[in-house]
Amino acid sequence: MRPAYRHPITILLICSVLAVLSYQLILQQLLRHNQQIALQHGYEFNQYLNQQIKRFSTLTDTLAKRPELRGLLSTSEPDPQQKLDVSILLSDFNLASGSASVYLMDNSGLVLSSSNYDQPVHFVGYNFGFRPYFIETLAQQRSYIDYGLGWISNERGIYFAATVTDAQLTQPGVLVLKLNMEQIEQAYQAIAGQSKLIFMLVDQQKTVLASNHKPWHLSHFGTEDVKLPTHPGRVLTALKVRQQHNLWQLLAEPHSQPTQYTEYAVAAKDNLQLPWQLLMLQPAAPLRLQALQLTVSIGLLFAVLVLLGIYLRNRRLQQRQQARIFARLEQAVAERTQSLQLSNQELRQTQEQLLQAAKLATIGQLSASINHEINQPLTAMHSYLQTSQKMLSKGMYPQLADNLDKISQLLLRLSHIVQQFKSFSRKAPNQPQAVQLEQLLLNALGIVQPAINQHRAKVKLLNNSTAYVKVDPLQLEQVLVNLLGNALQAMEDVTEPCLQVRISEQDDVVILQIKDNGAGIQPHNMAHLFEPFFTTKQGNGLGLGLSISRQIVQSYSGLLSIENHPEGGAIVSITLPKLAAEHS
């Protein structure tokens, strides 16, 4: 009976728990990192906002001391020209300061002059004595800052109010400067740049005064739509916020139906000059996706470690088994050698058994060569895994993803090596020699002949060259097998597939071209054909990618290129240096 910890269900449960814990830990780390960035953006924007409040407060107080304003208020019945002169002054000031509007009211709240006097809709003649900024400024006899919704313009804004008075002026007036919230929202976009953060400026009544997400303008944090005295005639749509630490769920589109919640990571910062709160929000879905990707990457890394351990264990078992086989072979040789002295019949039997033993020894040598071929990728994988563990502990996630990609490439390389041993009966070191391309081509066509028969393809071979090239025959055969296989797969949907292969000479090079009559290569795929492990087909093909094929050809100072033929289909060209006559 296998131990409980080796039972598949137990292993699955343990892996699931580890995956969930890893996901949660990574997500919390990403949330903390995101909050730091959001707070930094919030600090910069809050600093800008406070600077603007201080600037416009100073400008309002300075303008309120102008003698033109006092002169207008001191006249019991000011004439239209006097009002116009002050309106022009306010208009020039409004243009220079960048405010939305500036207007002067008497002690009853009547607007005497306004910066928008020459606009179709202006404030002159309106009475704003009911507005809080007017009431509070006169009551406190000092500057006052308030948020409000324009009674006439219906635009959100910050109102800066200051009293206009002196020792001789018994009836004070109020000067008001308005800064539109849209100006603040546009300024945030300039500060944030390409950041995906969304900001909210929220007052004490939990009303969203400003945001770079327009559907949230004048919305409310409550669960039901409300009407507030500060926004007469407006219904504030409820955002129905659900708070869970720094993850909030609220309505990204409050007016949409049906109601759909969106999750955000939230960082809050209080404004020091006004009783408002600045909230920085980022959609949580990308963070969760990133956490999931990192969790999967860690899982793959763990799986690679497990597979590597299994491989090493199996290799030790294989070595022990080979040792036992060789021991048995030696014992068999000794026994059969002794039997040779007994009779010729026994000699023949011994020779047959020795021949069988030699076959087993050859198989053992083949296993040893396989181990030698895959030892280098495994050593590289072990090095990358050690580096990945350090990167993981230091939070170097982009570099970790790159290492995992390299490990994936090495695994595919191991698969390719194993496929080589299945496809060819021998594995020899790279030994370039003088050969003719026609012979290598015929060998490659022999390997893919079953596929040619399966596709019912016609093969046209034209050889106009007797020159030699210096290559490793086995390696170049593998390249040709891969290219021929690709061409056959490109003609799967063709009624009468035809494969044309031409060998020719040009100057000091020999050119081998393979042309198919398939659909050709899509333009958007052409630039990526030689990227490692890029494929446009389903399945594993022949296990030798175009990237490796090009490297093999380039190792012999050759060139591998692919292009679409004007008459249809694709044409692959291999160009190799011609071997001098004295070396061939």
Side-chain angles (χ1 to χ4, degrees):
M1 181 176 180
R2 72 173 65 179
Y5 66 86
R6 290 188 179 180
H7 196 279
I9 297 179
T10 303
I11 295 174
L12 181 61
L13 289 175
I14 293 174
C15 292
S16 300
V17 171
L18 290 176
V20 171
L21 291 177
S22 299
Y23 171 78
Q24 292 297 334
L25 289 173
I26 294 173
L27 179 61
Q28 291 304 316
Q29 182 65 27
L30 290 175
L31 288 174
R32 282 193 292 269
H33 178 67
N34 174 79
Q35 189 174 40
Q36 292 176 355
I37 296 175
L39 287 174
Q40 180 61 32
H41 278 275
Y43 172 79
E44 295 173 359
F45 180 59
N46 205 34
Q47 204 172 32
Y48 163 81
L49 185 60
N50 286 331
Q51 289 174 351
Q52 292 297 97
I53 292 172
K54 183 177 180 181
R55 172 175 174 263
F56 282 102
S57 295
T58 303
L59 290 174
T60 306
D61 292 340
T62 302
L63 182 61
K65 298 176 182 178
R66 291 291 294 263
E68 294 91 339
L69 278 60
R70 295 173 178 174
L72 180 60
L73 291 172
S74 63
T75 305
S76 58
E77 293 184 4
D79 59 72
Q81 184 60 44
Q82 191 176 9
K83 292 181 181 180
L84 178 60
D85 292 341
V86 174
S87 292
I88 294 173
L89 172 66
L90 298 181
S91 177
D92 293 340
F93 180 86
N94 182 69
L95 182 63
S97 64
S99 56
S101 59
V102 186
Y103 48 95
L104 176 66
M105 299 183 289
D106 63 15
N107 62 348
S108 68
L110 180 67
V111 178
L112 302 177
S113 298
S114 174
S115 61
N116 58 6
Y117 72 96
D118 56 348
Q119 301 297 319
V121 179
H122 56 79
F123 300 157
V124 178
Y126 283 94
N127 192 303
F128 296 148
F130 61 92
R131 298 303 292 262
Y133 57 78
F134 176 80
I135 298 171
E136 293 296 331
T137 303
L138 285 184
Q140 300 177 17
Q141 287 295 303
R142 62 182 179 85
S143 300
Y144 184 79
I145 303 175
D146 187 26
Y147 166 85
L149 188 65
W151 188 53
I152 295 176
S153 65
N154 201 33
E155 295 177 346
R156 300 163 295 127
I158 302 176
Y159 292 84
F160 300 86
T163 55
V164 181
T165 184
D166 59 16
Q168 290 77 31
L169 191 60
T170 58
Q171 299 294 330
V174 176
L175 176 69
V176 179
L177 181 148
K178 181 180 179 182
L179 176 64
N180 276 350
M181 281 299 185
E182 288 186 1
Q183 296 174 251
I184 295 175
E185 292 162 351
Q186 292 173 0
Y188 172 80
Q189 290 302 121
I191 294 172
Q194 300 298 322
S195 172
K196 296 182 180 179
L197 288 170
I198 304 173
F199 86 91
M200 275 188 183
L201 203 57
V202 183
D203 66 7
Q204 292 174 305
Q205 296 177 310
K206 299 299 182 182
T207 301
V208 180
L209 307 180
S211 174
N212 57 334
H213 184 56
K214 192 172 182 179
W216 287 344
H217 291 174
L218 296 183
S219 56
H220 191 262
F221 268 41
T223 57
E224 300 292 338
D225 297 349
V226 296
K227 292 183 178 180
L228 297 177
T230 53
H231 301 85
R234 291 295 295 265
V235 177
L236 307 184
T237 307
L239 290 179
K240 302 179 181 180
V241 180
R242 301 172 182 173
Q243 300 183 19
Q244 186 177 5
H245 303 295
N246 56 347
L247 280 176
W248 293 11
Q249 289 183 343
L250 61 152
L251 303 179
E253 303 290 337
H255 300 283
S256 64
Q257 294 295 334
T259 300
Q260 292 185 349
Y261 284 89
T262 302
E263 189 178 37
Y264 296 90
V266 182
K269 186 171 183 62
D270 294 329
N271 188 286
L272 299 180
Q273 296 194 21
L274 295 173
W276 298 345
Q277 190 178 45
L278 179 64
L279 301 179
M280 308 299 295
L281 302 90
Q282 178 174 349
L287 297 177
R288 290 191 177 276
L289 178 60
Q290 187 178 358
L292 181 61
Q293 291 173 338
L294 290 173
T295 302
V296 172
S297 298
I298 293 173
L300 290 174
L301 176 61
F302 178 74
V304 169
L305 290 173
V306 171
L307 290 174
L308 181 60
I310 293 174
Y311 168 77
L312 294 175
R313 177 177 176 273
N314 290 340
R315 188 174 68 169
R316 287 195 298 269
L317 293 176
Q318 183 183 19
Q319 290 172 346
R320 293 173 185 174
Q321 184 177 7
Q322 288 177 354
R324 288 194 294 268
I325 291 175
F326 282 118
R328 292 172 184 171
L329 287 174
E330 290 178 357
Q331 182 180 359
V333 170
E335 292 175 354
R336 295 301 177 254
T337 301
Q338 185 178 4
S339 300
L340 284 175
Q341 300 173 0
L342 300 178
S343 65
N344 292 335
Q345 181 66 29
E346 291 179 347
L347 177 59
R348 286 193 296 270
Q349 293 176 353
T350 301
Q351 288 175 337
E352 291 175 358
Q353 292 177 359
L354 285 174
L355 179 59
Q356 183 64 28
K359 292 181 181 180
L360 293 176
T362 302
I363 294 175
Q365 292 174 357
L366 184 60
S367 298
S369 65
I370 295 175
N371 288 336
H372 175 73
E373 286 294 326
I374 65 178
N375 184 54
Q376 290 182 344
L378 287 174
T379 302
M381 285 171 58
H382 182 262
S383 175
Y384 280 129
L385 288 172
Q386 288 181 330
T387 307
S388 298
Q389 289 174 338
K390 294 180 180 178
M391 290 178 177
L392 180 62
S393 64
K394 294 181 179 180
M396 299 168 64
Y397 301 120
Q399 294 88 341
L400 174 60
D402 184 60
N403 266 19
L404 293 176
D405 183 62
K406 291 177 180 177
I407 291 173
S408 176
Q409 294 182 22
L410 289 172
L411 288 173
L412 289 177
R413 180 182 170 188
L414 288 176
S415 175
H416 162 63
I417 292 173
V418 172
Q419 186 64 31
Q420 280 186 317
F421 280 94
K422 289 182 179 179
S423 303
F424 301 94
S425 61
R426 65 185 180 88
K427 177 67 175 73
N430 187 3
Q431 296 180 343
Q433 53 186 278
V435 294
Q436 288 184 315
L437 286 182
E438 183 179 23
Q439 184 57 49
L440 301 183
L441 178 61
L442 293 176
N443 293 343
L445 286 172
I447 294 174
V448 298
Q449 189 61 45
I452 294 174
N453 296 337
Q454 181 183 359
H455 289 80
R456 298 181 179 178
K458 295 181 179 179
V459 179
K460 297 180 180 180
L461 177 59
L462 178 61
N463 182 16
N464 294 326
S465 171
T466 57
Y468 285 79
V469 294
K470 191 172 184 179
V471 297
D472 180 89
L474 182 57
Q475 281 196 347
L476 199 59
E477 276 184 25
Q478 292 171 333
V479 172
L480 294 176
V481 167
N482 180 55
L483 298 179
L484 291 169
N486 289 345
L488 290 173
Q489 291 185 357
M491 299 186 295
E492 285 182 345
D493 300 326
V494 178
T495 305
E496 296 182 358
C498 181
L499 197 62
Q500 298 181 11
V501 185
R502 178 189 297 269
I503 302 176
S504 60
E505 297 181 24
Q506 183 176 344
D507 298 330
D508 296 331
V509 296
V510 181
I511 304 172
L512 186 148
Q513 293 181 317
I514 301 174
K515 179 186 178 301
D516 62 71
N517 62 342
I521 300 169
Q522 296 296 324
H524 62 274
N525 290 330
M526 186 67 74
H528 305 287
L529 288 179
F530 293 104
E531 292 180 1
F533 312 112
F534 175 82
T535 180
T536 60
K537 58 195 178 187
Q538 299 294 327
N540 296 325
L542 293 174
L544 185 62
L546 287 175
S547 175
I548 299 177
S549 297
R550 171 180 268 188
Q551 292 176 13
I552 291 175
V553 174
Q554 288 178 342
S555 68
Y556 303 119
S557 302
L559 177 66
L560 174 61
S561 61
I562 302 177
E563 58 185 349
N564 286 323
H565 196 275
E567 298 177 359
I571 182 167
V572 184
S573 300
I574 296 178
T575 304
L576 292 168
K578 187 189 302 181
L579 194 62
E582 61 268 19
H583 297 291
S584 59

